[in-house]
Amino acid sequence: MKIANEIRDFQNMINGKLIQSSSGRQIESINPSTGKVWATIPNSTVEDAESAVRAARRAFKGWSTLPAMERANYLRKIGDLIVQHGKELSELETRDNGWVIRETSYGLIPSLASYWYDAAGATAVGSKGDTVQLGSSSVGYTLREPYGVVVGILPWNSPLFTFTVKAAYALAAGNTVIIKPSELASVASLRYGELINEVLPPGTLNVVSGDGVEVGNTLVSHPNVNRVSLTGSGTTARAIAQSTAKNPKPMTFELGGKSANIVFEDADLEKAAQGVTLNGIFTGNAGQLCVGGSRILIQRSIIDEMVTKMKEVITEYIQLGDPMHPESAMGPIANAIQYEKVCSYIELGKKEGREIIIGGRHGGKDLLPDMPHLAEGYWIEPTLIRVDRNTLRICQEEIFGPVATVIPFDTEDEAIAMANDTEFGLGAGVWTTNLNRAHRMIRKLESGNVWVNTYRTVGPELPFGGQKSSGYGVDSIMEFTREKTCYIDIG
């Protein structure tokens, strides 16, 4: 493997200090656009994980007893700091996982700041209880209290966003936090933690990188960790559930998806063609998103017209290229393991599918011949595969890349049955101008999130969570507090 000339070294943040792994071991971070090492992160140990728990536990008393408005002031300062360091953070995220700079700069950073500001405003909400007059001489009331130490487990596809929604609301509620980023994309999270610690008291927020089995398991099973929030795979969720069996604790799981984007014959096809491609699956991070609309269901009467329009959109707008260049619209696959997985599904699609509508190629040498510095990167072009039925593996299994299937349907009932015929239930899209149909679909789709005539719009105003194998719970201030009931006899 070739190595970049300048290797940057990043460290854990524990108890307000930058600390290397106690063993001195490191993990090489690969820039997915080039396939070259560009940074190193700590390969932390059980001892490091336990140090983070101790730091968070010590900090909990002081942080949790602050008035809500004081915690809010800290969180607003973090929001301001993120804006100030937006250019640096967006570049780190892009180099770390390949998400194109035009999205990490102009979309991600403002979004992160707004979540910190929203969490600041939510501190008062998370501190309120209810009072009940139980009788002439008795009264009852409830308190909302933080859990204690919260562990957030991050994925490699969107580290900074998931870091933010977990840490901001957990801190707003009065918890202290430990973040465990994926060892496949930890750089931006380590720097993010360093910046946030310029504002927070030591130990309030800690970031520890390393192997999921050694570090992650130690954190989630630790008796002094009180809540776990994971964004990741079902495999990781099952492992966490097993490791906490002897020491049960509340958990939030936001897992995978195989979302259906459903286009009816009365839809605005121009708008739908852009929505299901650019917003739905062929995104700046190459379709590596849990809510990606990887099953495009199209009413049979318009399927040929719709396919033509989708091909035109892909050809015109999806430009592969150096993710640091502002004109690049789609970046590489984030790591070698995922690259091989997606390539294998494309080969499977060639066997299972009716035809490759567009795409199917991979590899920097073939796709970007004029950019030799990207030859060893993990590049896959946008790929649409037409199929005849929803039961194929490429329609049922999460691919997590820029690959989507196009499936015909005839009736509304058939579309609903097909959309729900999956173990997942994270997202769904509906494209129609029929308002009655839109409301029927919303009610009948087995999904935590449904978009109508748009796709993948999220924000702090509304919760985001899944059903079925896509997980349960949401990262919100109420989820990060528990309710205590008190009865008083006033005589």
Side-chain angles (χ1 to χ4, degrees):
M1 176 182 294
K2 294 183 180 179
I3 299 180
N5 292 329
E6 182 181 352
I7 306 298
R8 298 184 61 181
D9 181 49
F10 292 84
Q11 299 181 328
N12 292 326
M13 173 56 64
I14 301 176
N15 200 31
K17 298 178 181 179
L18 289 172
I19 299 175
Q20 266 295 358
S21 167
S22 58
S23 69
R25 295 178 301 169
Q26 293 180 316
I27 298 173
E28 293 179 334
S29 181
I30 310 298
N31 182 330
S33 68
T34 64
K36 300 175 183 178
V37 178
W38 75 287
T40 60
I41 62 173
N43 190 359
S44 303
T45 65
V46 170
E47 180 182 346
D48 299 322
E50 291 181 342
S51 293
V53 175
R54 287 194 296 272
R57 177 57 59 184
R58 284 195 300 269
F60 174 67
K61 182 177 180 180
W63 181 252
S64 63
T65 55
L66 284 178
M69 290 300 98
E70 289 191 30
R71 290 200 300 272
N73 289 336
Y74 278 105
L75 302 188
R76 277 189 286 271
K77 290 177 182 177
I78 294 173
D80 294 341
L81 194 66
I82 300 313
V83 174
Q84 295 168 19
H85 290 268
K87 183 176 184 295
E88 177 192 5
L89 290 169
S90 64
E91 289 179 355
L92 290 176
E93 185 90 326
T94 294
R95 294 190 191 281
D96 211 21
N97 72 357
W99 196 347
V100 293
I101 194 73
R102 76 180 191 183
E103 291 193 9
T104 58
S105 293
Y106 303 113
L108 178 64
I109 297 302
S111 175
L112 302 186
S114 54
Y115 272 92
W116 284 106
Y117 297 141
D118 183 75
T123 55
V125 176
S127 302
K128 290 181 179 179
D130 296 313
T131 302
V132 180
Q133 186 70 40
L134 298 174
S136 59
S137 62
S138 60
V139 67
Y141 67 92
T142 62
L143 296 172
R144 297 213 70 89
E145 298 179 334
Y147 280 93
V149 177
V150 171
V151 166
I153 308 292
L154 309 186
W156 43 257
N157 66 313
S158 184
L160 290 183
F161 180 78
T162 49
F163 186 132
T164 299
V165 295
K166 295 181 191 308
Y169 293 102
L171 290 170
N175 302 282
T176 51
V177 176
I178 304 169
I179 294 293
K180 163 60 177 73
S182 167
E183 58 270 32
L184 297 174
S186 291
V187 169
S189 296
L190 290 168
R191 176 59 176 148
Y192 201 43
E194 182 182 355
L195 288 171
I196 292 171
N197 268 271
E198 294 181 10
V199 173
L200 294 177
T204 307
L205 175 77
N206 307 272
V207 186
V208 185
S209 69
D211 180 74
V213 175
E214 183 171 0
V215 177
N217 185 64
T218 299
L219 290 173
V220 301
S221 62
H222 200 287
N224 286 329
V225 167
N226 307 102
R227 187 176 182 94
V228 175
S229 177
L230 162 75
T231 297
S233 69
T235 300
T236 303
R238 287 187 288 272
I240 290 175
Q242 291 174 358
S243 68
T244 58
K246 293 182 180 179
N247 200 4
K249 57 198 68 179
M251 293 181 282
T252 299
F253 286 158
E254 197 256 279
L255 310 176
K258 194 69 179 176
S259 302
N261 233 331
I262 308 164
V263 184
F264 287 95
E265 61 187 1
D266 64 351
D268 179 335
L269 298 191
E270 297 286 346
K271 184 177 180 181
Q274 293 202 24
V276 301
T277 54
L278 304 184
N279 293 334
I281 188 67
F282 303 130
T283 55
N285 64 341
Q288 296 166 104
L289 60 163
C290 50
V291 78
S294 55
R295 291 184 299 148
I296 304 174
L297 280 54
I298 305 174
Q299 200 153 23
R300 198 180 304 272
S301 59
I302 57 162
I303 192 167
D304 291 337
E305 181 182 2
M306 185 66 182
V307 164
T308 298
K309 290 183 181 298
M310 288 191 296
K311 289 174 66 176
E312 291 172 352
V313 169
I314 294 167
T315 302
E316 181 177 356
Y317 293 104
I318 305 298
Q319 179 181 340
L320 297 180
D322 189 334
M324 295 299 293
H325 195 287
E327 291 185 4
S328 298
M330 194 173 89
I333 299 300
N335 57 75
I337 296 172
Q338 186 63 19
Y339 174 74
E340 294 299 330
K341 176 186 174 183
V342 177
C343 288
S344 70
Y345 273 108
I346 291 175
E347 295 307 308
L348 178 63
K350 292 177 181 178
K351 298 176 183 178
E352 287 191 337
R354 176 174 164 184
E355 66 171 309
I356 302 292
I357 296 171
I358 193 170
R361 297 184 302 153
H362 48 82
K365 290 181 180 179
D366 292 333
L367 298 179
L368 300 164
D370 297 330
M371 301 180 186
H373 67 293
L374 304 180
E376 296 181 36
Y378 311 133
W379 296 94
I380 294 177
E381 66 181 342
T383 301
L384 280 177
I385 306 172
R386 188 165 178 172
V387 301
D388 293 322
R389 60 188 188 279
N390 186 55
T391 55
L392 304 175
R393 282 182 58 196
I394 56 173
C395 300
Q396 291 293 320
E397 299 174 12
E398 185 177 35
I399 298 174
F400 216 66
V403 181
T405 54
V406 175
I407 316 170
F409 70 89
D410 291 300
T411 67
E412 183 179 311
D413 287 342
E414 184 183 2
I416 292 168
M418 197 180 299
N420 291 340
D421 181 23
T422 172
E423 67 173 293
F424 300 106
L426 189 57
V430 179
W431 300 85
T432 180
T433 55
N434 184 322
L435 183 61
N436 291 336
R437 169 181 283 151
H439 284 289
R440 289 195 300 269
M441 296 295 290
I442 291 169
R443 291 178 179 273
K444 294 180 180 180
L445 288 168
E446 297 170 355
S447 175
N449 306 274
V450 180
W451 291 274
V452 177
N453 296 327
T454 185
Y455 198 78
R456 210 165 51 88
T457 301
V458 297
E461 301 87 354
L462 291 170
F464 182 88
Q467 299 179 6
K468 302 194 288 189
S469 292
S470 290
Y472 52 82
V474 295
D475 290 317
S476 69
I477 187 142
M478 301 307 280
E479 291 272 352
F480 286 117
T481 62
R482 55 190 170 195
E483 199 167 37
K484 177 183 286 185
T485 301
C486 180
Y487 299 88
I488 302 176
D489 187 341
I490 59 178

